[in-house]
Amino acid sequence: MTPLASLDCEWPRETGHTGGHPGDAKHCAVRRWTASADATVSVSGLLAHGAKEGDGVRGRIVSGRDGELGSWIVQAGKAETKLAKLDVKKGDTIDFVVDSRASINSD
């Protein structure tokens, strides 16, 4: 994987293991998980937007096989992101995607 510092772009920007800036309309922050075996999994997390300014962020969970599984928008708050039961096959990918929506201000 190519380190972000070596890419010719400013986005996304990580500010530690719990946050960052998702970037502009052309650059979403994405984390990918790949299933190592057939299984049933659950996914849970917390999507947060801590600033009063800006129009918030959108978080999505996207399956490489089934498409978008969930979408959440948060502005100056938090939302639990949870999928209780998800069947995956070995090699399936699940992407966790965050974007800035219309404006990059304070996201």
Side-chain angles (χ1 to χ4, degrees):
M1 180 178 251
T2 304
L4 289 177
S6 69
L7 298 175
D8 187 23
C9 66
E10 187 177 343
W11 310 108
R13 183 180 316 136
E14 284 187 55
T15 57
H17 71 281
T18 60
H21 194 299
D24 60 18
K26 295 180 183 179
H27 303 95
C28 296
V30 179
R31 290 288 182 248
R32 174 168 284 175
W33 175 78
T34 303
S36 59
D38 295 359
T40 300
V41 299
S42 63
V43 177
S44 63
L46 185 68
L47 178 65
H49 177 258
K52 292 180 190 176
E53 300 80 12
D55 63 350
V57 294
R58 176 177 59 165
R60 293 175 283 159
I61 299 175
V62 182
S63 163
R65 182 165 42 105
D66 298 322
E68 187 174 287
L69 303 174
S71 180
W72 300 265
I73 293 175
V74 178
Q75 184 174 2
K78 300 175 183 177
E80 184 178 356
T81 56
K82 187 173 186 177
L83 299 175
K85 190 175 180 181
L86 177 61
D87 293 323
V88 295
K89 302 287 185 193
K90 182 178 181 177
D92 281 356
T93 58
I94 304 295
D95 290 340
F96 303 89
V97 183
V98 178
D99 65 70
S100 289
R101 301 186 66 210
S103 168
I104 63 171
N105 179 40
S106 301
D107 296 336

